[in-house]
Amino acid sequence: MRFATWNVNSIRTRVDRVIAFLERSSTDVLAMQEIKCKPDQFPVDQFTEAGYEVRIHGLNQWNGVAVASRLPILKVEDHFAGQPAFGNPPVVEARALGVTVESPDSSPFTIWSLYIPNGRELTDPHYVYKLEWLRVLKENGVKWLSEDPKAQIAMVGDWNVAPFDEDVWDMTAFADATHVSQPERDAFFAFADDGWDEITRDRVTNYTYWDYQKLRFPKNEGMRIDFVYASPALASRVVEAQIDRDERKGKGASDHVPVIIDIAD
Protein backbone atom coordinates (compact mmCIF):
# COMPACT_ATOMS: atom_id res chain seq x y z
CA MET A 1 0.00 0.00 0.00
CA ARG A 2 1.17 3.52 -0.75
CA PHE A 3 -0.11 6.63 0.98
CA ALA A 4 0.96 10.24 0.75
CA THR A 5 0.40 13.65 2.31
CA TRP A 6 0.41 16.96 0.47
CA ASN A 7 -0.47 20.53 1.37
CA VAL A 8 -1.97 21.39 -2.01
CA ASN A 9 -2.57 25.10 -1.28
CA SER A 10 -5.98 25.26 -3.03
CA ILE A 11 -7.35 22.10 -4.62
CA ARG A 12 -9.40 24.02 -7.18
CA THR A 13 -6.24 25.68 -8.47
CA ARG A 14 -4.17 22.51 -8.51
CA VAL A 15 -6.56 19.65 -9.16
CA ASP A 16 -4.95 18.73 -12.49
CA ARG A 17 -1.54 18.46 -10.87
CA VAL A 18 -2.96 16.40 -8.00
CA ILE A 19 -4.72 13.95 -10.30
CA ALA A 20 -1.58 13.64 -12.43
CA PHE A 21 0.44 12.92 -9.30
CA LEU A 22 -2.00 10.24 -8.15
CA GLU A 23 -1.90 8.50 -11.50
CA ARG A 24 1.87 8.79 -11.91
CA SER A 25 2.72 7.69 -8.37
CA SER A 26 0.06 4.97 -7.98
CA THR A 27 -0.84 6.37 -4.58
CA ASP A 28 -3.66 4.49 -2.86
CA VAL A 29 -4.55 7.10 -0.23
CA LEU A 30 -3.73 10.82 -0.35
CA ALA A 31 -4.19 13.18 2.59
CA MET A 32 -4.51 16.81 1.50
CA GLN A 33 -4.27 20.03 3.48
CA GLU A 34 -5.18 23.64 2.72
CA ILE A 35 -7.82 22.66 0.20
CA LYS A 36 -9.33 26.16 0.69
CA CYS A 37 -12.91 25.30 -0.21
CA LYS A 38 -16.20 23.93 1.07
CA PRO A 39 -17.20 20.35 0.22
CA ASP A 40 -19.62 21.49 -2.50
CA GLN A 41 -16.77 23.42 -4.17
CA PHE A 42 -14.34 20.50 -4.20
CA PRO A 43 -13.66 19.03 -7.70
CA VAL A 44 -14.94 15.59 -6.74
CA ASP A 45 -15.77 14.48 -10.28
CA GLN A 46 -12.15 14.51 -11.39
CA PHE A 47 -11.16 12.28 -8.49
CA THR A 48 -14.07 9.94 -9.19
CA GLU A 49 -13.01 9.63 -12.81
CA ALA A 50 -9.52 8.72 -11.63
CA GLY A 51 -10.92 5.98 -9.39
CA TYR A 52 -10.84 7.71 -6.00
CA GLU A 53 -13.44 8.34 -3.33
CA VAL A 54 -13.01 11.65 -1.54
CA ARG A 55 -13.92 12.77 1.95
CA ILE A 56 -13.76 16.50 2.61
CA HIS A 57 -13.81 18.82 5.59
CA GLY A 58 -13.83 22.49 4.64
CA LEU A 59 -15.75 25.40 6.15
CA ASN A 60 -14.69 28.35 3.99
CA GLN A 61 -11.90 29.57 1.71
CA TRP A 62 -9.29 28.99 4.43
CA ASN A 63 -7.69 25.82 5.80
CA GLY A 64 -9.59 22.64 4.88
CA VAL A 65 -8.48 19.01 4.72
CA ALA A 66 -9.45 16.05 2.56
CA VAL A 67 -8.57 12.43 1.88
CA ALA A 68 -8.77 10.67 -1.48
CA SER A 69 -8.75 6.86 -1.48
CA ARG A 70 -9.04 4.11 -4.05
CA LEU A 71 -9.47 1.68 -1.15
CA PRO A 72 -12.90 1.21 0.47
CA ILE A 73 -13.65 3.88 3.08
CA LEU A 74 -15.01 2.51 6.35
CA LYS A 75 -15.21 5.50 8.71
CA VAL A 76 -14.78 9.29 8.70
CA GLU A 77 -14.17 11.74 11.58
CA ASP A 78 -14.06 15.49 10.92
CA HIS A 79 -12.28 16.37 14.18
CA PHE A 80 -10.49 14.71 17.06
CA ALA A 81 -11.89 14.72 20.59
CA GLY A 82 -11.55 18.08 22.29
CA GLN A 83 -10.04 19.75 19.24
CA PRO A 84 -9.39 23.39 20.24
CA ALA A 85 -11.30 26.26 18.68
CA PHE A 86 -10.03 29.68 17.66
CA GLY A 87 -11.47 33.08 16.87
CA ASN A 88 -14.29 35.30 18.07
CA PRO A 89 -16.64 33.57 18.29
CA PRO A 90 -14.48 30.44 18.71
CA VAL A 91 -14.70 27.98 15.82
CA VAL A 92 -13.32 24.46 15.53
CA GLU A 93 -11.51 24.97 12.26
CA ALA A 94 -11.28 22.47 9.42
CA ARG A 95 -7.82 21.24 10.29
CA ALA A 96 -8.25 17.51 10.99
CA LEU A 97 -9.90 14.68 9.10
CA GLY A 98 -9.58 11.04 10.08
CA VAL A 99 -10.43 8.48 7.40
CA THR A 100 -10.31 4.73 7.97
CA VAL A 101 -9.93 2.53 4.90
CA GLU A 102 -9.77 -1.17 4.25
CA SER A 103 -6.15 -1.87 3.38
CA PRO A 104 -5.05 -4.60 0.93
CA ASP A 105 -4.46 -7.05 3.79
CA SER A 106 -8.03 -6.33 4.97
CA SER A 107 -6.92 -4.67 8.23
CA PRO A 108 -8.27 -1.15 8.87
CA PHE A 109 -5.84 1.69 8.23
CA THR A 110 -6.60 5.17 9.59
CA ILE A 111 -5.00 8.28 8.17
CA TRP A 112 -5.39 11.64 9.86
CA SER A 113 -4.92 14.56 7.49
CA LEU A 114 -3.68 17.37 9.75
CA TYR A 115 -3.10 21.04 9.12
CA ILE A 116 -1.50 22.26 12.34
CA PRO A 117 -2.05 25.98 13.07
CA ASN A 118 0.75 28.25 11.87
CA GLY A 119 1.19 30.22 15.09
CA ARG A 120 1.86 33.49 13.26
CA GLU A 121 4.07 35.20 15.87
CA LEU A 122 5.43 34.12 19.25
CA THR A 123 3.32 36.79 20.94
CA ASP A 124 0.16 36.09 18.94
CA PRO A 125 -2.84 34.21 20.44
CA HIS A 126 -2.53 31.91 17.44
CA TYR A 127 0.76 30.63 18.86
CA VAL A 128 -0.96 29.65 22.12
CA TYR A 129 -3.69 28.02 20.03
CA LYS A 130 -1.05 26.06 18.09
CA LEU A 131 0.55 24.65 21.22
CA GLU A 132 -2.84 23.76 22.70
CA TRP A 133 -3.87 22.11 19.43
CA LEU A 134 -0.77 19.91 19.48
CA ARG A 135 -1.25 19.12 23.18
CA VAL A 136 -4.81 17.88 22.67
CA LEU A 137 -3.83 15.92 19.56
CA LYS A 138 -1.13 14.24 21.63
CA GLU A 139 -3.71 13.28 24.27
CA ASN A 140 -5.82 11.70 21.55
CA GLY A 141 -2.80 9.81 20.26
CA VAL A 142 -2.19 8.34 23.70
CA LYS A 143 -5.83 7.25 23.87
CA TRP A 144 -5.77 5.65 20.41
CA LEU A 145 -2.67 3.60 21.22
CA SER A 146 -3.96 2.56 24.65
CA GLU A 147 -7.26 1.39 23.18
CA ASP A 148 -5.55 -0.67 20.49
CA PRO A 149 -1.74 -1.12 20.58
CA LYS A 150 -1.96 -2.88 17.20
CA ALA A 151 -3.84 -0.04 15.52
CA GLN A 152 -2.62 1.02 12.08
CA ILE A 153 -2.70 4.82 12.30
CA ALA A 154 -0.82 7.59 10.52
CA MET A 155 -0.95 11.22 11.60
CA VAL A 156 0.22 13.10 8.53
CA GLY A 157 0.32 16.57 7.09
CA ASP A 158 1.66 20.06 7.43
CA TRP A 159 2.88 20.24 11.03
CA ASN A 160 4.16 23.82 10.72
CA VAL A 161 7.13 22.87 12.90
CA ALA A 162 10.77 22.50 11.83
CA PRO A 163 12.00 20.12 14.54
CA PHE A 164 15.74 20.42 13.85
CA ASP A 165 17.96 23.31 12.79
CA GLU A 166 18.74 21.39 9.59
CA ASP A 167 15.05 21.63 8.67
CA VAL A 168 15.41 25.29 7.66
CA TRP A 169 17.87 26.79 5.21
CA ASP A 170 19.24 29.35 7.67
CA MET A 171 18.45 29.48 11.38
CA THR A 172 19.45 33.12 11.57
CA ALA A 173 16.51 33.93 9.31
CA PHE A 174 14.20 32.44 11.97
CA ALA A 175 15.41 34.34 15.00
CA ASP A 176 12.47 34.91 17.37
CA ALA A 177 10.10 33.29 14.87
CA THR A 178 7.57 30.50 14.98
CA HIS A 179 8.16 26.99 13.62
CA VAL A 180 11.55 26.68 15.33
CA SER A 181 10.79 27.80 18.89
CA GLN A 182 11.58 25.32 21.64
CA PRO A 183 7.97 24.95 22.86
CA GLU A 184 6.88 24.01 19.33
CA ARG A 185 9.71 21.55 18.94
CA ASP A 186 9.00 20.04 22.35
CA ALA A 187 5.34 19.62 21.39
CA PHE A 188 6.37 17.87 18.18
CA PHE A 189 8.85 15.51 19.85
CA ALA A 190 6.34 14.66 22.58
CA PHE A 191 4.54 12.32 20.19
CA ALA A 192 7.64 10.14 19.97
CA ASP A 193 7.68 9.94 23.78
CA ASP A 194 4.29 8.21 23.55
CA GLY A 195 5.47 5.60 21.04
CA TRP A 196 4.69 7.31 17.73
CA ASP A 197 7.41 7.03 15.08
CA GLU A 198 8.15 9.85 12.64
CA ILE A 199 8.90 7.52 9.76
CA THR A 200 10.38 9.87 7.15
CA ARG A 201 13.42 11.28 9.01
CA ASP A 202 15.66 8.23 8.71
CA ARG A 203 14.58 7.37 5.18
CA VAL A 204 14.72 10.56 3.16
CA THR A 205 16.40 13.96 3.37
CA ASN A 206 14.95 17.08 1.74
CA TYR A 207 12.84 20.11 2.39
CA THR A 208 9.08 19.86 1.84
CA TYR A 209 8.21 23.57 1.54
CA TRP A 210 9.62 26.55 -0.32
CA ASP A 211 7.98 29.97 -0.08
CA TYR A 212 6.88 31.62 -3.33
CA GLN A 213 8.73 34.81 -2.38
CA LYS A 214 12.38 35.77 -3.00
CA LEU A 215 13.15 32.86 -5.36
CA ARG A 216 13.22 30.49 -2.40
CA PHE A 217 12.87 27.35 -4.52
CA PRO A 218 15.61 28.08 -7.10
CA LYS A 219 17.89 28.96 -4.18
CA ASN A 220 16.77 25.83 -2.28
CA GLU A 221 15.88 28.00 0.70
CA GLY A 222 13.25 25.69 2.08
CA MET A 223 11.84 24.13 5.21
CA ARG A 224 10.98 20.61 6.27
CA ILE A 225 7.60 20.88 7.96
CA ASP A 226 5.54 18.00 6.47
CA PHE A 227 5.82 14.78 8.44
CA VAL A 228 4.29 11.36 9.08
CA TYR A 229 3.90 10.05 12.62
CA ALA A 230 2.96 6.36 12.56
CA SER A 231 1.66 4.08 15.29
CA PRO A 232 4.17 1.37 16.29
CA ALA A 233 2.27 -1.35 14.42
CA LEU A 234 2.20 0.70 11.23
CA ALA A 235 5.78 1.91 11.56
CA SER A 236 7.00 -1.69 11.61
CA ARG A 237 5.57 -2.15 8.10
CA VAL A 238 7.20 0.86 6.44
CA VAL A 239 9.27 -0.05 3.41
CA GLU A 240 10.24 3.32 1.98
CA ALA A 241 9.66 7.08 2.21
CA GLN A 242 10.04 9.69 -0.52
CA ILE A 243 9.77 13.47 -0.85
CA ASP A 244 8.68 14.36 -4.38
CA ARG A 245 10.71 17.56 -4.84
CA ASP A 246 9.86 17.72 -8.54
CA GLU A 247 6.28 18.66 -7.69
CA ARG A 248 7.55 22.10 -6.68
CA LYS A 249 8.69 22.70 -10.26
CA GLY A 250 6.73 24.15 -13.15
CA LYS A 251 3.65 26.28 -13.56
CA GLY A 252 0.98 26.24 -10.86
CA ALA A 253 2.94 24.32 -8.24
CA SER A 254 1.97 24.28 -4.58
CA ASP A 255 4.55 25.68 -2.19
CA HIS A 256 4.65 22.21 -0.55
CA VAL A 257 5.47 18.85 -2.14
CA PRO A 258 4.10 15.34 -1.50
CA VAL A 259 5.60 13.04 1.10
CA ILE A 260 5.09 9.41 0.06
CA ILE A 261 5.15 6.27 2.22
CA ASP A 262 5.20 2.63 1.11
CA ILE A 263 3.81 0.01 3.49
CA ALA A 264 4.29 -3.75 3.21
CA ASP A 265 0.98 -5.55 2.64
Side-chain angles (χ1 to χ4, degrees):
M1 180 180 69
R2 170 171 283 184
F3 69 88
T5 178
W6 190 3
N7 179 323
V8 296
N9 191 13
S10 178
I11 187 60
R12 289 177 290 177
T13 300
R14 284 172 244 289
V15 60
D16 291 341
R17 288 191 70 131
V18 173
I19 296 298
F21 163 76
L22 287 172
E23 293 176 342
R24 180 180 68 254
S25 65
S26 296
T27 294
D28 296 301
V29 183
L30 173 64
M32 292 168 274
Q33 302 86 43
E34 269 202 286
I35 60 171
K36 295 184 176 179
C37 67
K38 299 176 182 179
D40 61 359
Q41 298 171 315
F42 194 99
V44 172
D45 289 348
Q46 287 170 261
F47 283 84
T48 302
E49 291 170 7
Y52 291 82
E53 291 184 73
V54 185
R55 297 296 182 270
I56 307 145
H57 182 36
L59 301 178
N60 47 41
Q61 74 273 29
W62 308 112
N63 309 320
V65 281
V67 172
S69 175
R70 59 183 182 182
L71 303 175
I73 293 176
L74 307 175
K75 180 182 177 181
V76 179
E77 299 172 82
D78 65 6
H79 65 283
F80 52 82
Q83 184 174 322
F86 186 77
N88 187 19
V91 174
V92 177
E93 298 177 308
R95 292 182 175 274
L97 182 68
V99 175
T100 301
V101 304
E102 184 178 301
S103 64
D105 65 358
S106 297
S107 62
F109 162 67
T110 299
I111 189 166
W112 278 94
S113 182
L114 304 171
Y115 180 42
I116 282 72
N118 177 281
R120 299 176 184 169
E121 303 287 342
L122 297 182
T123 57
D124 194 292
H126 208 259
Y127 180 76
V128 177
Y129 168 54
K130 178 179 191 174
L131 295 178
E132 178 67 4
W133 207 95
L134 287 166
R135 185 190 68 79
V136 178
L137 176 62
K138 176 183 181 297
E139 289 182 349
N140 277 267
V142 170
K143 181 174 180 288
W144 297 334
L145 294 185
S146 65
E147 289 176 344
D148 183 4
K150 296 182 179 180
Q152 309 281 322
I153 307 173
M155 295 188 292
V156 312
D158 179 356
W159 288 76
N160 269 317
V161 179
F164 293 97
D165 290 357
E166 67 196 51
D167 295 331
V168 298
W169 79 92
D170 181 2
M171 274 297 293
T172 62
F174 288 84
D176 301 318
T178 60
H179 292 62
V180 300
S181 74
Q182 199 57 51
E184 291 168 282
R185 288 178 167 182
D186 290 345
F188 181 88
F189 291 130
F191 289 86
D193 295 339
D194 296 331
W196 296 90
D197 188 352
E198 202 296 295
I199 54 179
T200 71
R201 174 72 60 181
D202 294 335
R203 293 179 171 86
V204 61
T205 300
N206 212 329
Y207 298 136
T208 62
Y209 164 86
W210 297 260
D211 195 290
Y212 292 125
Q213 306 297 318
K214 301 180 181 180
L215 298 174
R216 294 296 190 205
F217 183 63
K219 296 176 182 177
N220 198 32
E221 295 178 348
M223 302 174 68
R224 187 172 187 169
I225 55 177
D226 301 83
F227 297 100
V228 177
Y229 260 123
S231 62
L234 182 65
S236 67
R237 299 172 56 202
V238 176
V239 176
E240 185 179 3
Q242 304 173 50
I243 294 173
D244 189 353
R245 188 180 187 278
D246 287 345
E247 269 299 338
R248 185 60 177 80
K249 300 177 181 178
K251 184 179 179 181
S254 171
D255 45 5
H256 292 250
V257 296
V259 178
I260 307 164
I261 306 295
D262 288 324
I263 300 293
D265 294 337

